Amino acid sequence: MEGIIDNLFVNRELYASLFGPLCEKYHLTMTEMIVLMFLAKNRGYDTASDIVENLKITKSHVSISLRDLEERGYVEGKYKGENHRSIHLKLCDNSLNIIRDGENVQKVFIDVLLKDFSLEEKMIFKSFIQRINKNANEYLHNQISMKRK
């Protein structure tokens, strides 16, 4: 069990090393890249609040990233219907090459991590990761709820 913490840092370092050249190519910060990839993969979650809540990135970092991405024509925000409280984000055509390249990097990341795993082991691992994320999100949600009381 003690390897879990080390594993988290190794995986984070691997992810950053794989995405580093892509961020340099498109002159993006890692946070900007993560935001673009989140919007591409999570079509139902399209507000800044969704990004903050799901990725656990601070509001200020998300705001700065979204402003820069919008200025560069990668993302646009619009109100939906009568609701003018939330701006809904949409990827622009300008971002499609970045998204494609990012998906390729994510595939490499997964391929590196799951090299020599059988299909059955990959499915079990996916199940474990989903449970781990659920546990972490529940804990964080409970901590926030307790702080508000």
Side-chain angles (χ1 to χ4, degrees), residues 30-65:
M30 184 60 84
T31 303
E32 290 168 342
M33 179 62 75
I34 290 168
V35 166
L36 286 174
M37 297 311 298
F38 176 83
L39 291 171
K41 296 252 184 243
N42 298 284
R43 301 272 184 212
Y45 298 96
D46 63 353
T47 66
S49 295
D50 291 333
I51 296 167
V52 169
E53 185 176 323
N54 286 282
L55 297 179
K56 309 302 185 240
I57 300 173
T58 64
K59 288 180 188 179
S60 60
H61 283 109
V62 170
S63 293
I64 291 167
S65 295

Coordinates of all heavy atoms in Angstrom, one line a residue, residues 30-65:
M30 N -0.2 23.8 -19.0 CA -0.7 22.5 -18.7 C -2.2 22.6 -18.3 O -3.0 21.8 -18.7 CB 0.1 21.8 -17.6 CG -0.4 20.4 -17.4 SD -0.3 19.3 -18.8 CE 1.3 18.7 -18.6
T31 N -2.5 23.7 -17.6 CA -3.9 23.9 -17.1 C -4.8 24.1 -18.4 O -5.9 23.6 -18.5 CB -4.0 25.0 -16.1 OG1 -3.2 24.7 -15.0 CG2 -5.5 25.2 -15.7
E32 N -4.3 24.9 -19.3 CA -5.1 25.2 -20.5 C -5.3 23.9 -21.3 O -6.5 23.6 -21.8 CB -4.4 26.2 -21.4 CG -4.4 27.6 -20.8 CD -3.5 28.6 -21.5 OE1 -2.6 28.1 -22.2 OE2 -3.6 29.8 -21.3
M33 N -4.3 23.1 -21.4 CA -4.4 21.8 -22.1 C -5.4 20.9 -21.4 O -6.3 20.3 -22.0 CB -3.1 21.1 -22.2 CG -3.1 19.8 -22.9 SD -3.7 19.8 -24.6 CE -2.2 20.5 -25.4
I34 N -5.4 20.8 -20.1 CA -6.3 20.0 -19.3 C -7.7 20.4 -19.4 O -8.6 19.6 -19.6 CB -5.8 20.0 -17.8 CG1 -4.5 19.2 -17.7 CG2 -6.9 19.4 -16.9 CD1 -3.8 19.3 -16.3
V35 N -7.9 21.8 -19.5 CA -9.3 22.3 -19.6 C -9.8 21.9 -21.0 O -10.9 21.5 -21.2 CB -9.3 23.8 -19.4 CG1 -10.5 24.5 -20.0 CG2 -9.0 24.2 -18.0
L36 N -9.0 22.1 -22.1 CA -9.4 21.7 -23.4 C -9.8 20.2 -23.5 O -10.8 19.9 -24.1 CB -8.3 22.0 -24.4 CG -8.1 23.5 -24.8 CD1 -6.9 23.7 -25.7 CD2 -9.4 24.1 -25.4
M37 N -8.9 19.4 -22.9 CA -9.2 18.0 -23.0 C -10.5 17.6 -22.2 O -11.2 16.8 -22.6 CB -8.0 17.2 -22.5 CG -6.7 17.3 -23.3 SD -7.0 17.1 -25.1 CE -7.5 15.4 -25.1
F38 N -10.7 18.3 -21.0 CA -11.9 18.0 -20.3 C -13.1 18.4 -21.1 O -14.1 17.6 -21.1 CB -11.9 18.9 -19.0 CG -13.1 18.7 -18.2 CD1 -13.3 17.7 -17.3 CD2 -14.2 19.7 -18.3 CE1 -14.5 17.5 -16.6 CE2 -15.3 19.6 -17.6 CZ -15.5 18.5 -16.7
L39 N -13.1 19.6 -21.7 CA -14.3 20.0 -22.5 C -14.5 19.0 -23.7 O -15.7 18.8 -24.1 CB -14.1 21.4 -23.0 CG -14.2 22.5 -21.9 CD1 -13.7 23.8 -22.5 CD2 -15.5 22.6 -21.3
A40 N -13.5 18.5 -24.2 CA -13.6 17.6 -25.4 C -14.2 16.3 -24.9 O -15.0 15.6 -25.7 CB -12.3 17.3 -26.0
K41 N -13.9 15.8 -23.8 CA -14.3 14.5 -23.3 C -15.6 14.5 -22.5 O -16.2 13.5 -22.4 CB -13.2 13.9 -22.4 CG -11.9 13.6 -23.1 CD -11.7 12.1 -23.3 CE -10.4 11.9 -23.9 NZ -10.5 11.2 -25.2
N42 N -16.0 15.6 -22.0 CA -17.2 15.7 -21.1 C -18.2 16.7 -21.6 O -18.4 17.7 -21.1 CB -16.7 16.1 -19.7 CG -15.7 15.1 -19.1 OD1 -16.1 14.1 -18.7 ND2 -14.5 15.5 -19.1
R43 N -18.8 16.3 -22.7 CA -19.8 17.2 -23.4 C -20.9 17.7 -22.5 O -21.4 18.8 -22.7 CB -20.4 16.4 -24.6 CG -19.3 16.0 -25.6 CD -19.0 17.0 -26.6 NE -18.1 16.5 -27.6 CZ -17.2 17.2 -28.2 NH1 -17.1 18.4 -28.0 NH2 -16.4 16.6 -29.0
G44 N -21.3 17.0 -21.5 CA -22.4 17.4 -20.7 C -22.0 18.4 -19.6 O -22.8 19.1 -19.0
Y45 N -20.7 18.5 -19.4 CA -20.1 19.4 -18.4 C -19.4 20.6 -19.1 O -18.3 20.4 -19.6 CB -19.2 18.7 -17.5 CG -19.8 17.6 -16.7 CD1 -19.8 16.3 -17.2 CD2 -20.5 17.8 -15.5 CE1 -20.4 15.2 -16.5 CE2 -21.1 16.8 -14.8 CZ -21.1 15.5 -15.3 OH -21.7 14.5 -14.6
D46 N -20.1 21.7 -19.2 CA -19.5 22.7 -20.1 C -19.5 24.1 -19.5 O -19.5 25.1 -20.2 CB -20.4 22.8 -21.4 CG -21.8 23.2 -21.1 OD1 -22.2 23.3 -20.0 OD2 -22.5 23.4 -22.1
T47 N -19.4 24.2 -18.2 CA -19.2 25.5 -17.5 C -17.9 25.5 -16.7 O -17.3 24.5 -16.4 CB -20.4 25.8 -16.5 OG1 -20.3 24.9 -15.4 CG2 -21.8 25.7 -17.2
A48 N -17.5 26.7 -16.4 CA -16.3 26.9 -15.6 C -16.5 26.1 -14.2 O -15.5 25.5 -13.7 CB -16.0 28.3 -15.3
S49 N -17.7 26.2 -13.7 CA -17.9 25.5 -12.4 C -17.8 24.0 -12.6 O -17.3 23.3 -11.6 CB -19.3 25.8 -11.9 OG -19.5 27.2 -11.6
D50 N -18.2 23.5 -13.7 CA -18.1 22.0 -13.9 C -16.6 21.7 -13.9 O -16.2 20.6 -13.4 CB -18.7 21.6 -15.3 CG -20.2 21.7 -15.3 OD1 -20.8 21.6 -14.3 OD2 -20.7 22.0 -16.4
I51 N -15.8 22.5 -14.6 CA -14.3 22.2 -14.6 C -13.7 22.3 -13.2 O -13.0 21.3 -12.8 CB -13.6 23.2 -15.6 CG1 -14.1 23.1 -17.0 CG2 -12.1 23.1 -15.5 CD1 -13.8 24.2 -17.9
V52 N -14.0 23.3 -12.5 CA -13.5 23.4 -11.1 C -13.9 22.2 -10.3 O -13.1 21.6 -9.6 CB -14.0 24.7 -10.4 CG1 -13.7 24.8 -8.9 CG2 -13.4 25.9 -11.1
E53 N -15.2 21.9 -10.3 CA -15.7 20.8 -9.5 C -15.2 19.4 -9.9 O -14.8 18.6 -9.0 CB -17.3 20.7 -9.6 CG -17.9 19.7 -8.7 CD -19.4 19.8 -8.8 OE1 -20.0 20.9 -8.9 OE2 -20.0 18.7 -8.7
N54 N -15.0 19.1 -11.2 CA -14.6 17.8 -11.6 C -13.1 17.6 -11.6 O -12.6 16.6 -11.3 CB -15.1 17.5 -13.0 CG -16.6 17.2 -13.0 OD1 -17.0 16.1 -12.6 ND2 -17.5 18.2 -13.3
L55 N -12.4 18.7 -11.9 CA -10.9 18.6 -12.0 C -10.2 19.1 -10.7 O -9.0 18.9 -10.6 CB -10.4 19.3 -13.2 CG -10.8 18.8 -14.6 CD1 -10.3 19.7 -15.7 CD2 -10.5 17.4 -14.8
K56 N -10.9 19.7 -9.8 CA -10.3 20.2 -8.6 C -9.2 21.2 -8.9 O -8.2 21.2 -8.2 CB -9.8 19.1 -7.7 CG -10.8 17.9 -7.5 CD -12.1 18.4 -6.8 CE -13.0 17.2 -6.4 NZ -14.3 17.3 -7.1
I57 N -9.4 22.0 -9.9 CA -8.5 23.1 -10.2 C -9.2 24.4 -9.6 O -10.4 24.6 -9.7 CB -8.3 23.3 -11.7 CG1 -7.8 22.0 -12.4 CG2 -7.4 24.5 -12.1 CD1 -7.7 22.0 -13.9
T58 N -8.3 25.3 -9.1 CA -8.9 26.5 -8.5 C -9.6 27.4 -9.5 O -9.3 27.3 -10.7 CB -7.8 27.4 -7.8 OG1 -6.9 27.8 -8.9 CG2 -7.0 26.6 -6.8
K59 N -10.6 28.1 -9.0 CA -11.4 29.0 -9.8 C -10.6 30.0 -10.6 O -10.8 30.2 -11.8 CB -12.5 29.7 -9.0 CG -13.6 28.9 -8.5 CD -14.5 29.8 -7.7 CE -15.6 28.9 -7.0 NZ -16.5 29.7 -6.2
S60 N -9.6 30.5 -9.9 CA -8.7 31.5 -10.5 C -7.9 30.9 -11.7 O -7.8 31.6 -12.7 CB -7.8 32.2 -9.5 OG -6.9 31.2 -8.9
H61 N -7.4 29.7 -11.5 CA -6.7 29.1 -12.6 C -7.6 28.8 -13.8 O -7.2 29.0 -15.0 CB -5.9 27.8 -12.1 CG -4.7 28.1 -11.3 ND1 -4.7 27.9 -10.0 CD2 -3.5 28.6 -11.7 CE1 -3.5 28.2 -9.6 NE2 -2.7 28.6 -10.6
V62 N -8.8 28.3 -13.5 CA -9.7 28.0 -14.6 C -10.1 29.3 -15.3 O -10.1 29.3 -16.5 CB -10.9 27.3 -14.0 CG1 -12.0 27.2 -15.1 CG2 -10.5 25.9 -13.5
S63 N -10.4 30.4 -14.5 CA -10.8 31.6 -15.2 C -9.7 32.2 -16.1 O -10.0 32.6 -17.2 CB -11.1 32.7 -14.1 OG -12.2 32.3 -13.4
I64 N -8.5 32.2 -15.6 CA -7.3 32.7 -16.4 C -7.2 31.8 -17.6 O -7.0 32.4 -18.7 CB -6.0 32.7 -15.5 CG1 -6.1 33.8 -14.4 CG2 -4.8 32.9 -16.4 CD1 -5.1 33.6 -13.4
S65 N -7.2 30.5 -17.5 CA -7.1 29.6 -18.6 C -8.2 29.8 -19.6 O -7.9 29.9 -20.8 CB -7.1 28.2 -18.2 OG -5.9 27.9 -17.4

